Amino acid sequence: MNKHNEQIYNFINRVGSFSKLIKSSQINPETETNNINISNENDDFYKNILEYSPIPIAIFKNNSPIYVNAKFILTFGYDLNSFSQIDKWWQLAFPEPSYRKQVKDYFNFSINNLNSDNAVYEHKIWMIRCNNGDIREIELMFAPADQNILVMCKDVTELNKSRSMLKEANEKWEMLFNKSLDIILINEKNGNFIHANNSAIEKLGYSGDEIFNVKPTDISNEDEYFSFSDIQNAITDQGGIIFETDLISKQGIKLPVEVNLHAIFIKGKITFISICRDITVRKKVEKEREELIEELKSAIQRTENSRHQAEDAYAEIRYVNKRMEKAHSELEMLYDKLQKSEERMKLAFDAANDGLLDYNIEKDEIYFSPKFYSMLEYTDEDIAKDFNWLDIIHPADKKKIQRKLKKMYSGNISNIEMEIRLKTKSGKYKWILHKSKITA
């Protein structure tokens, strides 16, 4: 039993002391509302607790309700008149016969097992149909109150929905985290690793348990680690930074990587997530290209130094050009791989809480992430090919953002961060934190 349920349990156990309130209550069946006469200020105080409780409460006598509080009516849509024909109400609230029997059996069993000192509470979820047709998930709690029974209905509909959404989000995160081809490491500010994905375990050569006993100094040069610590301190307020370094596996093998390092908060503590992309192939191609360029320069220089060697130099230049074409072909293959990697990153953005708008200036193509659609109530079918996102900016914000975009495109500023209003599909405007940055 969690702390919240324990508090409710203790409260309903104390309700037995409200017997004076129930005993002094006079129920008028001819009126449409509860009519409880209060004999003194204490009874008035206890009645207010029941009436204005944030939990739906009903008082039963002889298996029929004689009182329901305001929260009960608001939550389920049933007032005291709804129970005038109790059998009809049971059919309305629990339409399926076999399920209705289960609820009634549990209800009667709980009432029959009450005594003057204890309440009955079981962590069991029941589905009740409200007067408007909605289905709510509730837990029932029973407490004796003189000759009557107090029934509290804990509405857990939104709680269970939130738990389901959180579980789904965690599953998406786990899938993206462990399916990524990039090494992903999450560490505390003191350097202790608290999360590592499958790629990190595989490429660094540590087992799942060993990786959490590894320090940053074990996977990088000590001098680079101190620089890495300085970088962590520098990005605490800035959010993130990208740099290149070498990771060292358990076997001592160096792995050149591009590190995308971000500061994030987990359970109120600042932590760092490092997405490390293997750039071994890129480094190899870059080195070969530099060597080829040097060979080309050397060939040209030799040609300039001697006319007699011109023919041989020309042949050598052609040879070097062929090698450069091969290197260029390899670079194109690498570019295709990078594009696929960017698509995976877009998937990560889609699972996150931010909408993504990716504009390719050269191709005049624009990409909207599903989150961008959903937070503005659109679907991808709503967005035509000629859709211009500037058209949904509030008129008071449009000129401001256009001026800033013009400055960013011209190179006067590096990025944009400002709050603007965007029109949703329903026509209403929603405040959005807009961040823009030109990437290669």
Coordinates of all heavy atoms in Angstrom, one line a residue, residues 375 389-390 393-408 413 415-422 430-437:
M375 N 1.1 18.4 -31.7 CA 0.9 19.5 -30.8 C 0.1 20.7 -31.3 O -0.4 21.5 -30.6 CB 2.3 20.0 -30.2 CG 3.1 20.7 -31.2 SD 4.7 21.1 -30.4 CE 5.5 22.0 -31.8
W389 N 4.7 27.0 -43.4 CA 4.5 27.2 -41.9 C 4.4 28.6 -41.4 O 3.9 28.9 -40.4 CB 5.6 26.4 -41.2 CG 6.9 27.1 -41.1 CD1 7.8 27.2 -42.1 CD2 7.4 27.8 -40.0 NE1 8.9 27.9 -41.7 CE2 8.7 28.3 -40.4 CE3 7.0 28.1 -38.7 CZ2 9.5 29.1 -39.5 CZ3 7.7 28.9 -37.9 CH2 9.0 29.4 -38.3
L390 N 5.0 29.5 -42.2 CA 4.9 30.9 -41.8 C 3.5 31.5 -41.8 O 3.1 32.4 -41.1 CB 5.8 31.8 -42.8 CG 7.3 31.5 -42.8 CD1 8.0 32.3 -43.8 CD2 7.9 31.9 -41.4
I393 N 1.7 31.5 -38.3 CA 2.3 32.3 -37.3 C 1.4 33.5 -37.0 O 0.8 34.1 -37.9 CB 3.7 32.8 -37.7 CG1 4.7 31.6 -37.9 CG2 4.3 33.7 -36.6 CD1 6.0 32.1 -38.3
H394 N 1.2 33.8 -35.7 CA 0.3 34.9 -35.3 C 0.9 36.2 -36.0 O 2.1 36.4 -36.1 CB 0.4 35.1 -33.8 CG -0.7 36.0 -33.3 ND1 -0.6 37.4 -33.3 CD2 -1.9 35.8 -32.7 CE1 -1.6 38.0 -32.8 NE2 -2.5 37.0 -32.4
P395 N 0.0 37.1 -36.6 CA 0.4 38.3 -37.3 C 1.4 39.1 -36.4 O 2.3 39.8 -37.0 CB -0.9 39.0 -37.6 CG -1.9 37.9 -37.6 CD -1.5 36.9 -36.7
A396 N 1.2 39.2 -35.1 CA 2.0 40.0 -34.3 C 3.4 39.5 -34.1 O 4.4 40.2 -33.7 CB 1.4 40.2 -32.9
D397 N 3.6 38.2 -34.4 CA 4.9 37.5 -34.3 C 5.6 37.3 -35.6 O 6.8 37.0 -35.6 CB 4.8 36.2 -33.6 CG 4.1 36.3 -32.2 OD1 4.3 37.4 -31.6 OD2 3.4 35.4 -31.8
K398 N 4.9 37.4 -36.7 CA 5.4 36.9 -38.0 C 6.6 37.8 -38.5 O 7.6 37.3 -38.9 CB 4.3 37.0 -39.0 CG 4.7 36.3 -40.4 CD 3.4 36.2 -41.3 CE 3.8 35.5 -42.6 NZ 2.6 35.3 -43.4
K399 N 6.4 39.1 -38.4 CA 7.5 40.0 -38.8 C 8.8 39.8 -38.0 O 9.9 39.9 -38.5 CB 7.1 41.4 -38.8 CG 6.1 41.8 -39.9 CD 5.7 43.2 -40.0 CE 4.8 43.5 -41.1 NZ 4.4 45.0 -41.2
K400 N 8.6 39.6 -36.7 CA 9.7 39.4 -35.8 C 10.5 38.2 -36.2 O 11.8 38.2 -36.3 CB 9.2 39.3 -34.3 CG 8.5 40.5 -33.8 CD 8.1 40.2 -32.4 CE 7.2 41.4 -31.8 NZ 6.7 41.1 -30.5
I401 N 9.8 37.1 -36.4 CA 10.5 35.8 -36.7 C 11.2 35.9 -38.1 O 12.2 35.4 -38.4 CB 9.6 34.6 -36.6 CG1 10.4 33.3 -36.7 CG2 8.5 34.6 -37.6 CD1 11.4 33.0 -35.6
Q402 N 10.5 36.6 -39.1 CA 11.0 36.7 -40.4 C 12.3 37.5 -40.4 O 13.3 37.2 -41.1 CB 10.0 37.4 -41.3 CG 8.9 36.4 -41.8 CD 7.9 37.1 -42.7 OE1 7.5 38.2 -42.5 NE2 7.4 36.3 -43.7
R403 N 12.4 38.6 -39.6 CA 13.6 39.4 -39.5 C 14.7 38.6 -38.9 O 15.9 38.6 -39.4 CB 13.3 40.6 -38.6 CG 12.5 41.7 -39.3 CD 12.7 43.0 -38.5 NE 12.1 43.0 -37.2 CZ 10.9 43.3 -36.9 NH1 10.0 43.7 -37.8 NH2 10.4 43.2 -35.6
K404 N 14.4 37.8 -37.9 CA 15.5 37.0 -37.3 C 16.0 35.9 -38.2 O 17.1 35.6 -38.3 CB 15.0 36.3 -36.0 CG 14.9 37.4 -34.8 CD 14.5 36.7 -33.5 CE 14.6 37.7 -32.3 NZ 15.9 38.0 -32.0
L405 N 15.0 35.3 -39.0 CA 15.4 34.2 -40.0 C 16.3 34.8 -41.0 O 17.3 34.2 -41.5 CB 14.2 33.6 -40.6 CG 13.3 32.7 -39.7 CD1 12.0 32.3 -40.4 CD2 14.1 31.4 -39.4
K406 N 16.0 36.1 -41.5 CA 16.8 36.7 -42.5 C 18.2 37.0 -42.0 O 19.2 36.7 -42.7 CB 16.1 38.0 -42.9 CG 16.8 38.7 -44.0 CD 16.0 40.0 -44.5 CE 16.7 40.7 -45.6 NZ 16.0 41.9 -46.0
K407 N 18.3 37.4 -40.7 CA 19.6 37.6 -40.1 C 20.4 36.3 -40.0 O 21.6 36.3 -40.2 CB 19.5 38.2 -38.7 CG 19.1 39.7 -38.8 CD 19.0 40.3 -37.3 CE 18.6 41.7 -37.4 NZ 18.5 42.3 -36.0
M408 N 19.7 35.2 -39.6 CA 20.4 33.9 -39.5 C 20.9 33.4 -40.8 O 22.0 32.9 -41.0 CB 19.5 32.9 -38.8 CG 20.2 31.6 -38.5 SD 19.1 30.5 -37.5 CE 17.9 30.0 -38.8
I413 N 23.5 36.2 -37.3 CA 23.3 35.5 -36.0 C 23.4 34.0 -36.2 O 23.2 33.6 -37.4 CB 22.0 35.8 -35.3 CG1 20.8 35.5 -36.3 CG2 21.9 37.3 -34.9 CD1 19.4 35.7 -35.6
N415 N 21.9 31.5 -34.3 CA 20.7 30.7 -34.0 C 19.6 31.6 -33.5 O 19.8 32.8 -33.2 CB 21.0 29.6 -32.9 CG 21.4 30.3 -31.6 OD1 22.5 30.8 -31.5 ND2 20.5 30.2 -30.6
I416 N 18.4 31.1 -33.3 CA 17.2 31.8 -32.9 C 16.5 31.1 -31.7 O 16.4 29.8 -31.8 CB 16.2 32.0 -34.0 CG1 16.8 32.8 -35.2 CG2 14.9 32.8 -33.5 CD1 15.9 32.8 -36.4
E417 N 16.1 31.7 -30.7 CA 15.3 31.1 -29.6 C 14.3 32.2 -29.2 O 14.7 33.2 -28.6 CB 16.2 30.7 -28.5 CG 15.4 30.0 -27.4 CD 16.2 29.3 -26.4 OE1 17.4 29.0 -26.6 OE2 15.7 29.1 -25.2
M418 N 13.1 32.0 -29.4 CA 12.1 33.0 -29.0 C 10.7 32.3 -29.0 O 10.5 31.3 -29.5 CB 12.0 34.2 -30.0 CG 11.6 33.8 -31.4 SD 11.5 35.2 -32.6 CE 10.2 36.1 -31.9
E419 N 9.8 32.9 -28.2 CA 8.4 32.4 -28.0 C 7.5 33.0 -29.1 O 7.5 34.3 -29.2 CB 7.9 32.6 -26.6 CG 8.7 31.8 -25.6 CD 8.1 32.1 -24.2 OE1 7.2 32.9 -24.0 OE2 8.5 31.4 -23.2
I420 N 6.8 32.2 -29.8 CA 5.9 32.7 -30.8 C 4.5 32.0 -30.7 O 4.5 30.9 -30.1 CB 6.4 32.5 -32.3 CG1 6.7 31.1 -32.6 CG2 7.6 33.4 -32.5 CD1 7.1 30.8 -34.0
R421 N 3.5 32.5 -31.4 CA 2.2 31.8 -31.3 C 1.9 31.2 -32.7 O 2.1 31.9 -33.7 CB 1.1 32.8 -31.0 CG 1.1 33.3 -29.5 CD 0.4 34.6 -29.3 NE 1.1 35.7 -29.8 CZ 0.7 37.0 -29.7 NH1 -0.4 37.3 -29.1 NH2 1.5 38.0 -30.2
L422 N 1.5 29.9 -32.7 CA 1.2 29.2 -33.9 C -0.3 28.8 -33.9 O -0.8 28.4 -32.8 CB 2.0 28.0 -34.1 CG 3.6 28.2 -34.3 CD1 4.3 26.9 -34.5 CD2 3.8 29.1 -35.4
K430 N -1.5 28.8 -30.1 CA -0.7 28.1 -29.0 C 0.7 28.7 -28.9 O 1.4 28.9 -29.9 CB -0.7 26.6 -29.2 CG 0.0 25.9 -28.1 CD 0.1 24.4 -28.4 CE -1.3 23.7 -28.2 NZ -1.2 22.3 -28.3
W431 N 1.1 29.1 -27.7 CA 2.5 29.6 -27.5 C 3.5 28.4 -27.7 O 3.3 27.4 -27.1 CB 2.6 30.2 -26.1 CG 2.0 31.6 -26.0 CD1 0.8 31.9 -25.5 CD2 2.6 32.8 -26.5 NE1 0.6 33.3 -25.6 CE2 1.7 33.8 -26.2 CE3 3.8 33.1 -27.1 CZ2 2.0 35.2 -26.5 CZ3 4.1 34.4 -27.4 CH2 3.2 35.4 -27.1
I432 N 4.5 28.7 -28.5 CA 5.5 27.7 -28.8 C 6.9 28.3 -28.6 O 7.1 29.5 -28.9 CB 5.4 27.2 -30.3 CG1 4.0 26.6 -30.5 CG2 6.5 26.2 -30.6 CD1 3.7 25.4 -29.8
L433 N 7.8 27.5 -27.9 CA 9.2 28.0 -27.8 C 9.9 27.5 -29.1 O 10.1 26.4 -29.4 CB 9.9 27.4 -26.6 CG 11.4 27.7 -26.5 CD1 11.6 29.2 -26.4 CD2 12.0 27.0 -25.2
H434 N 10.2 28.5 -30.0 CA 10.8 28.3 -31.3 C 12.4 28.4 -31.2 O 12.9 29.3 -30.7 CB 10.3 29.3 -32.3 CG 11.0 29.3 -33.6 ND1 10.6 28.4 -34.6 CD2 12.1 29.9 -34.1 CE1 11.4 28.6 -35.7 NE2 12.3 29.5 -35.4
K435 N 13.0 27.3 -31.7 CA 14.5 27.3 -31.7 C 14.9 27.0 -33.1 O 14.4 26.0 -33.7 CB 15.1 26.2 -30.8 CG 14.8 26.5 -29.3 CD 15.5 25.5 -28.4 CE 15.2 25.7 -26.9 NZ 15.9 24.7 -26.1
S436 N 15.8 27.8 -33.7 CA 16.3 27.6 -35.1 C 17.8 27.6 -35.1 O 18.4 28.3 -34.4 CB 15.8 28.7 -36.0 OG 14.4 28.6 -36.1
K437 N 18.4 26.8 -36.0 CA 19.8 26.7 -36.2 C 20.1 26.2 -37.5 O 19.5 25.2 -38.0 CB 20.5 25.9 -35.1 CG 22.0 25.9 -35.1 CD 22.6 25.1 -33.9 CE 24.1 25.2 -34.0 NZ 24.7 24.4 -32.8

